[in-house]
Amino acid sequence: RRVRGGQSSQYPSDVKFSYTAPNVTRINDGVTPPLGAVGIFTVYGTNFGPASQSSPDPDVSATLNGAPCTSCVIAEDFDQAICWGCPGGAGTEAEIIITVNSQASDPFHFAFAGPVVTGYVPAAEIPTQGHTPFTILGYNFGPAGTTPIEVYIDDVECTNSIVVDDSTVVCLSAPAGSGKNNTIHVVIQNQISNIFANFTYASPIILGINSGEIVPTSGGVFSIFGLNFGQEGDQVTVTVRGNECTGCSVVNSSLVECDNCPGGTGGPEFSRMGAQVVSGYIMNVYHTTNPAPTPTTTTTTTTTTSTTPQTTQTIQTP
């Protein structure tokens, strides 16, 4: 209704108009929100209306990827809103919609911050044959159950990985591998994490050599049995008392074969296998140069007296 010169115009009751709908232009001062963060979002734009007179403001709301924030207010006249309790998310295709007095903005698309790997547990206890679970630590992994999730050791993917929470991912079955300084990275909703280059498989353990742990003093072929030797085709270096064997290859995670290891006597120490120190293996693997012992013989002599015979046994050792 308009009043001028004491006269007022009349509008039919069915004539109405609307203000321009709110428009979102950025969030959080342009800083990408943490992946999986559940908390405060500051929303900037136009046509938000005057500042709220109450907190929370029942006429202002927001949704993040379709899920509602707990509460919102217009913090600055027309161009800034603050929303609390917004749900977490992940990926590069997130969207937020703000609604003021039943007018909804168009979706504003943004990306959550990418995942970051800072470590893993247990350290250096993953067998080289894999098939063992381990936990990846970090942040920006997203809410529990976020998919898709991929975990890689070097370029080999773990089997069945899950997001436990924003700072924890579990790989249920590690891939086979060997050695130190392997890399870990995760891919969550197509966002690739940093490369964490400190993943170590368990050190090799030698349990036996040539079945009976006996080789000639001249050396020769070694078949080395144990644990955590890696996979067929892995590079391996075997040294005996610091002297390197030749023609060594990994047959499987429990067998390494060498064409020629150096000879010697006594009890040499296997000091290294590959880049990892073998766990405390010192044993006699060579024939000794001592002659074989002479077999023990037994003789029997009989002494006879005039009344009662007696028998005496004598042990003779040359």
Side-chain angles (χ1 to χ4, degrees):
R1 187 172 120 174
R2 182 177 181 186
V3 178
R4 184 173 183 181
Q7 294 180 309
S8 63
S9 63
Q10 298 293 324
Y11 288 92
S13 60
D14 60 345
V15 175
K16 299 179 181 180
F17 72 96
S18 298
Y19 288 100
T20 304
N23 177 54
V24 178
T25 58
R26 73 183 195 278
I27 59 173
N28 292 3
D29 280 328
V31 177
T32 305
L35 186 72
V38 180
I40 298 174
F41 274 67
T42 302
V43 185
Y44 299 89
T46 58
N47 302 319
F48 290 174
S52 298
Q53 299 301 305
S54 62
S55 179
D57 189 333
D59 294 325
V60 183
S61 62
T63 59
L64 185 64
N65 290 339
C69 300
T70 302
S71 58
C72 297
V73 296
I74 304 301
E76 299 287 343
D77 287 342
F78 310 114
D79 61 10
Q80 180 181 328
I82 298 177
C83 297
W84 290 268
C86 295
T92 59
E93 299 180 356
E95 66 176 34
I96 190 168
I97 297 173
I98 190 165
T99 301
V100 180
N101 283 324
S102 301
Q103 280 188 304
S105 69
D106 289 333
F108 176 78
H109 298 278
F110 66 95
F112 281 94
V116 177
V117 177
T118 60
Y120 69 96
V121 290
E125 294 182 3
I126 306 300
T128 60
Q129 65 267 30
H131 308 299
T132 302
F134 71 97
T135 300
I136 300 165
L137 307 176
Y139 52 92
N140 294 342
F141 293 158
T146 295
T147 58
I149 164 71
E150 302 164 21
V151 176
Y152 293 88
I153 306 301
D154 292 334
D155 295 322
V156 183
E157 186 176 357
C158 289
T159 302
N160 297 329
S161 298
I162 58 174
V163 175
V164 176
D165 55 38
D166 186 59
S167 60
T168 310
V169 167
V170 173
C171 164
L172 297 179
S173 181
S178 62
K180 301 188 295 184
N181 298 322
N182 298 281
T183 62
I184 303 176
H185 74 276
V186 302
V187 182
I188 299 177
Q189 289 201 356
N190 299 318
Q191 288 184 298
I192 303 174
S193 76
N194 62 310
I195 302 297
F196 181 81
N198 195 25
F199 185 89
T200 301
Y201 282 93
S203 295
I205 301 172
I206 295 178
L207 300 177
I209 297 171
N210 289 12
S211 297
E213 302 175 357
I214 297 174
V215 296
T217 57
S218 58
V221 174
F222 271 28
S223 293
I224 306 167
F225 303 93
L227 304 172
N228 301 320
F229 291 168
Q231 308 306 303
E232 181 180 1
D234 284 354
Q235 293 183 341
V236 61
T237 300
V238 178
T239 62
V240 180
R241 282 183 171 171
N243 298 311
E244 188 173 330
C245 300
T246 59
C248 296
S249 60
V250 176
V251 178
N252 54 50
S253 64
S254 59
L255 175 62
V256 166
E257 292 184 342
C258 296
D259 292 337
N260 187 34
C261 285
T265 59
E269 177 182 356
F270 277 78
S271 56
R272 287 186 179 275
M273 180 168 290
Q276 293 176 294
V277 176
V278 172
S279 300
Y281 183 81
I282 302 175
M283 64 185 298
N284 293 326
V285 296
Y286 295 113
H287 282 309
T288 63
T289 55
N290 297 328
T294 302
T296 300
T297 61
T298 301
T299 61
T300 301
T301 60
T302 301
T303 305
T304 304
T305 64
S306 57
T307 57
T308 305
Q310 295 180 340
T311 301
T312 303
Q313 181 172 281
T314 304
I315 304 298
Q316 297 179 341
T317 304

